[in-house]
């Protein structure tokens, strides 16, 4: 994930209360009308609960556009 991707993910999740699971992250970003690239990155996350946006950023694959099934 690039620095620009990290900024997009961080911005899309501003205001979200943590901990949150993958579905919560995606729903929040969709409700906030996040761009398709940000949503693709969030959909590439492993299932699970995330404690903060920093953990989300660390867990997004380096190339989410190439993640299987995305």
């Amino acid at each position: 994930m690039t620095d620009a991707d990290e900024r997009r993910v961080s911005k899309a999740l501003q205001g979200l209360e943590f901990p949150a699971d993958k579905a919560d992250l995606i729903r929040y970003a969709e409700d906030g009308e996040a761009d398709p690239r940000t949503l693709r990155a969030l959909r590439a996350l492993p299932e699970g609960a995330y404690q903060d946006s920093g953990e989300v950023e660390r867990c997004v694959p380096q190339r989410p556009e190439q993640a299987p099934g995305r």
Side-chain angles (χ1 to χ4, degrees):
M1 184 157 95
T2 67
D3 288 343
D5 292 330
E6 287 180 10
R7 284 190 299 275
R8 273 196 291 280
V9 167
S10 179
K11 183 177 178 184
L13 299 179
Q14 278 183 332
L16 176 65
E17 291 189 31
F18 286 90
D21 65 21
K22 179 180 173 178
D24 295 330
L25 301 173
I26 295 168
R27 187 172 27 259
Y28 189 83
E30 287 173 339
D31 289 349
E33 299 182 4
D35 64 271
R37 198 167 166 180
T38 301
L39 292 171
R40 186 171 39 250
L42 293 172
R43 289 181 180 121
L45 285 167
E47 292 295 332
Y50 296 87
Q51 299 305 308
D52 56 40
S53 61
E55 183 179 7
V56 173
E57 292 170 19
R58 288 188 300 275
C59 291
V60 171
Q62 285 296 314
R63 313 244 25 189
E65 67 279 1
Q66 295 176 355
R70 307 294 182 253

